[in-house]
Amino acid sequence: MASSSNPLISSTKTSDSRLSVQLHPLVLLNISDYITRHTLRESKDPIVGAVLGSQNGRDITMEVAFECKTDKDNDGAVIMDAGWFHDRLQQFRDVYKQPSLDLVGWFTLAPSSGPQHEHLAIHHQLAEAYNESILLLAFYPSSLQEGSRTGGDKLPITIFEPVFEAGSDDGDKNMDAPGEVQNLVLRFKELPFTIETGDAEMIGVDFVARGAANATAIPQTADAATGAEVPKGKGKERADDAENEDAQANYLTTDEEDLLATLTAKANAIRMLRQRILLLKKYLESLPPCYLNDASIKTMEPHERISHPILRSIASLLARLPLLVPSTPSSTSLQTDTYEQTQKPSTVFEEESAAQASDVALVSLLGTLGSTLQDADKMSKKAQIYESDLIKKRPSGGRNQAFYDPIQDSPFDMDGNGDYGMPVNG
């Protein structure tokens, strides 16, 4: 997005760098919140902040961002308040100890052409004090406004890597002069980045998206802003009460706002799905006829628009449609009996659902059966232990004495005397 005419932009290709940057949505949320509060407060201070993350070799993550207090040096250039920034950075380091996060970049607003000379003072300050390879995240508010009008979906940010190249500050005029030492000038090179999202961040992004959909700007009157009290008469109070009631009647409840946000999200998803389907249809219509559909075609000639991976993806999507859209009745559901029609599944989707429900019920039944068998095994072991104890406790008697056998002689038999473990006279 940065302009090549900017003297601070490096002329080397973006692909030459091997840095891999992963940007987390929490950084974007913090920056957007800071810009929103700064705009509503009509503050004149520059928007500057720090970005915390981790670096493992050539892999860099940007996970947390916070706003910073600025100051001016002796030349009038904007820099960080050194004492304030050191204390705040140490506080964030103490909070994010596990995993450990440190200063990996800083952010600010910039025009669409890229970084400007007024950004160099802050970059040199942070590079000398904390991280010599600190990255710059530039936010383009003008591109965001243009994207809202044109319907663009790209993020209005660019991440730059600092590089030192041979040259001079005045347009490289004296770079090739004989007998002069070439100076190393700080320039910025654009880096590609990817969005890395965690589960907790997804919950936060979804909450912010829902809140943004339900947000309403409430205009503030001049009297409310100044805090002045306006005298009211009885007629004035009645008129204000009527206006307040009308205003409250026009506001939506929380449930209505949630329903409206849900319906809006679904409508946007359906609209996007329709656009994608029309795009796939247009692509398929642009392809030449296939010999599988037309018998007159013997061979397929190579065509530049044919992409076999895309065609395989479309075929896979069509194969999954019967499960996603249950509209075609299955042949096994055509029964003559009314009871069978109501009991048997009528679509492929219902057949798959019934099969999954049967599998779950079978697994549950097997688990119950296994638990029952385990309990029965425990009961059998306890019975064996009880019987062995009874045999050990039998007293030693003479030849003419018989003792009660708990297995053969039951106390409830007609021949038994009911005395458990007592000798019986022969």
Side-chain angles (χ1 to χ4, degrees):
M1 187 175 293
S3 175
S4 59
S5 61
N6 190 344
L8 295 180
I9 300 300
S10 174
S11 58
T12 58
K13 296 181 180 179
T14 305
S15 59
D16 293 343
S17 177
R18 296 181 181 179
L19 284 179
S20 175
V21 181
Q22 296 178 354
L23 181 62
H24 287 251
L26 187 58
V27 176
L28 302 179
L29 293 178
N30 292 336
I31 295 175
S32 61
D33 176 69
Y34 178 29
I35 294 175
T36 302
R37 290 185 285 105
H38 189 277
T39 304
L40 293 178
R41 293 173 180 174
E42 298 181 355
S43 177
K44 304 300 181 182
D45 297 332
I47 295 179
V48 178
V51 181
L52 300 182
S54 61
Q55 182 172 0
N56 184 12
R58 306 295 291 179
D59 298 331
I60 300 177
T61 62
M62 293 184 168
E63 303 183 24
V64 183
F66 63 93
E67 58 191 86
C68 297
K69 182 180 179 181
T70 58
D71 198 357
K72 290 187 178 181
D73 58 3
N74 298 329
D75 298 332
V78 177
I79 59 174
M80 298 282 192
D81 189 340
W84 182 94
F85 181 78
H86 178 76
D87 296 340
R88 181 56 59 90
L89 180 60
Q90 188 60 39
Q91 292 173 359
F92 273 88
R93 286 173 176 173
D94 295 339
V95 172
Y96 295 98
K97 282 186 176 181
Q98 200 59 249
S100 179
L101 299 183
D102 206 344
L103 182 66
V104 296
W106 66 287
F107 69 88
T108 185
L109 298 185
S112 57
S113 59
Q116 303 298 313
H117 287 279
E118 53 266 21
H119 298 148
L120 297 180
I122 298 179
H123 193 90
H124 284 301
Q125 179 188 13
L126 297 179
E128 294 175 359
Y130 299 98
N131 188 353
E132 61 181 7
S133 60
I134 189 170
L135 304 180
L136 170 60
L137 191 151
F139 187 88
Y140 307 119
S142 58
S143 301
L144 182 62
Q145 296 174 359
E146 294 175 0
S148 62
R149 292 193 299 266
T150 59
D153 54 352
K154 293 184 178 180
L155 292 175
I157 60 173
T158 303
I159 299 178
F160 293 98
E161 175 191 10
V163 294
F164 289 91
E165 297 179 352
S168 59
D169 296 335
D170 52 352
D172 298 347
K173 293 180 181 179
N174 300 325
M175 186 176 61
D176 298 331
E180 292 186 2
V181 179
Q182 296 180 354
N183 297 325
L184 294 179
V185 180
L186 174 63
R187 289 192 174 92
F188 296 94
K189 180 172 59 177
E190 185 176 348
L191 288 177
F193 64 91
T194 58
I195 301 297
E196 183 71 18
T197 307
D199 294 338
E201 289 177 321
M202 286 297 297
I203 297 175
V205 171
D206 181 70
F207 179 78
V208 172
R210 291 177 180 271
N214 301 332
T216 304
I218 301 176
Q220 188 177 17
T221 60
D223 296 333
T226 57
E229 296 182 358
V230 180
K232 296 182 179 180
K234 294 183 178 180
K236 183 67 175 177
E237 292 178 355
R238 294 174 183 173
D240 292 342
D241 293 340
E243 292 178 357
N244 293 333
E245 292 178 358
D246 295 339
Q248 293 178 359
N250 294 329
Y251 287 143
L252 298 177
T253 61
T254 305
D255 296 337
E256 292 174 345
E257 290 177 352
D258 294 340
L259 178 60
L260 181 61
T262 303
L263 295 177
T264 303
K266 290 183 178 180
N268 295 334
I270 293 173
R271 188 181 300 109
M272 183 178 295
L273 177 62
R274 182 176 179 274
Q275 293 176 357
R276 296 296 185 268
I277 293 176
L278 292 178
L279 181 61
L280 293 177
K281 181 181 178 182
K282 186 176 180 181
Y283 170 73
L284 294 176
E285 290 176 350
S286 64
L287 297 179
C290 179
Y291 66 92
L292 298 176
N293 300 328
D294 192 352
S296 62
I297 301 176
K298 300 302 180 181
T299 58
M300 281 289 296
E301 297 181 358
H303 195 273
E304 59 181 6
R305 295 184 62 87
I306 295 179
S307 176
H308 294 285
I310 296 178
L311 294 178
R312 284 193 292 268
S313 300
I314 295 175
S316 177
L317 177 62
L318 294 177
R320 292 196 301 267
L321 282 180
L323 298 178
L324 300 177
V325 184
S327 59
T328 305
S330 62
S331 59
T332 59
S333 64
L334 300 178
Q335 304 291 338
T336 57
D337 188 26
T338 306
Y339 177 77
E340 293 180 354
Q341 289 181 358
T342 57
Q343 294 297 323
K344 290 198 174 285
S346 59
T347 62
V348 179
F349 177 78
E350 292 179 355
E351 288 181 357
E352 293 291 337
S353 300
Q356 291 183 2
S358 300
D359 294 341
V360 173
L362 180 60
V363 171
S364 177
L365 181 61
L366 291 176
T368 304
L369 181 60
S371 177
T372 304
L373 293 176
Q374 186 178 5
D375 294 341
D377 183 63
K378 291 181 179 180
M379 182 62 67
S380 175
K381 291 180 180 179
K382 291 180 179 179
Q384 293 178 359
I385 294 173
Y386 180 71
E387 292 176 1
S388 61
D389 290 342
L390 288 178
I391 294 174
K392 292 179 181 180
K393 291 180 181 179
R394 287 180 181 179
S396 58
R399 295 178 58 186
N400 296 328
Q401 288 184 341
F403 292 89
Y404 173 73
D405 190 349
I407 300 179
Q408 297 181 359
D409 299 332
S410 174
F412 299 99
D413 290 342
M414 296 296 294
D415 297 337
N417 58 359
D419 296 330
Y420 182 76
M422 298 297 295
V424 180
N425 295 324

